[in-house]
Amino acid sequence: MKKELNEIQEKVENQHKEIRKKYLEMRKTLSDDEVLSSSEKIFRNFVDNFEIEPLQKIHIFISIAKFKEVQTELFISHFLKNGIQIYLPKMVNDEIM
């Protein structure tokens, strides 16, 4: 039974890696306008569907444009304007502190 579970877990992990690789490649093909438009849609969806209260704390990352990541500046500005504390990871020598 344990062997079967390990095999299933390995299969799922491999599928996850393949899907992630596929979508990272797809993301590389997006134009800057497409990234901005998608980021705005994601932000709007978040605001419309989640109620974050003032004094709540949110962990968020700063997006890196060259990787075509969701532009988190929209979220950061919104959170700060609404009294929501944000926390950002700190990197030292390629390690999160």
Side-chain angles (χ1 to χ4, degrees):
M1 179 75 160
K2 187 173 181 176
K3 181 181 176 187
E4 291 172 351
L5 288 175
N6 287 338
E7 289 173 358
I8 291 170
Q9 182 178 2
E10 185 177 329
K11 184 177 180 180
V12 168
E13 288 173 5
N14 288 334
Q15 288 175 337
H16 177 263
K17 287 177 187 177
E18 288 301 313
I19 291 169
R20 180 170 170 76
K21 183 178 175 181
K22 175 184 175 183
Y23 280 91
L24 286 172
E25 290 299 318
M26 289 172 58
R27 195 170 73 193
K28 288 179 186 178
T29 67
L30 296 174
S31 70
D32 290 343
D33 287 339
E34 289 172 315
V35 172
L36 178 59
S37 176
S38 295
S39 295
E40 290 171 343
K41 287 177 186 175
I42 291 167
F43 172 71
R44 184 59 24 219
N45 187 42
F46 178 86
V47 170
D48 290 346
N49 291 290
F50 294 92
E51 190 171 324
I52 306 296
E53 300 292 330
L55 303 178
Q56 280 190 284
K57 301 170 186 172
I58 301 288
H59 184 265
I60 193 166
F61 66 93
I62 295 176
S63 54
I64 301 172
K66 72 178 183 179
F67 295 134
K68 311 276 185 165
E69 295 176 334
V70 172
Q71 295 182 358
T72 57
E73 293 82 3
L74 299 166
F75 292 86
I76 292 169
S77 294
H78 173 75
F79 295 148
L80 293 176
K81 285 179 190 175
N82 289 286
I84 298 164
Q85 295 180 19
I86 60 169
Y87 293 85
L88 302 166
K90 179 180 177 180
M91 300 292 293
V92 176
N93 298 324
D94 292 332
E95 291 188 28
I96 295 178
M97 302 306 287

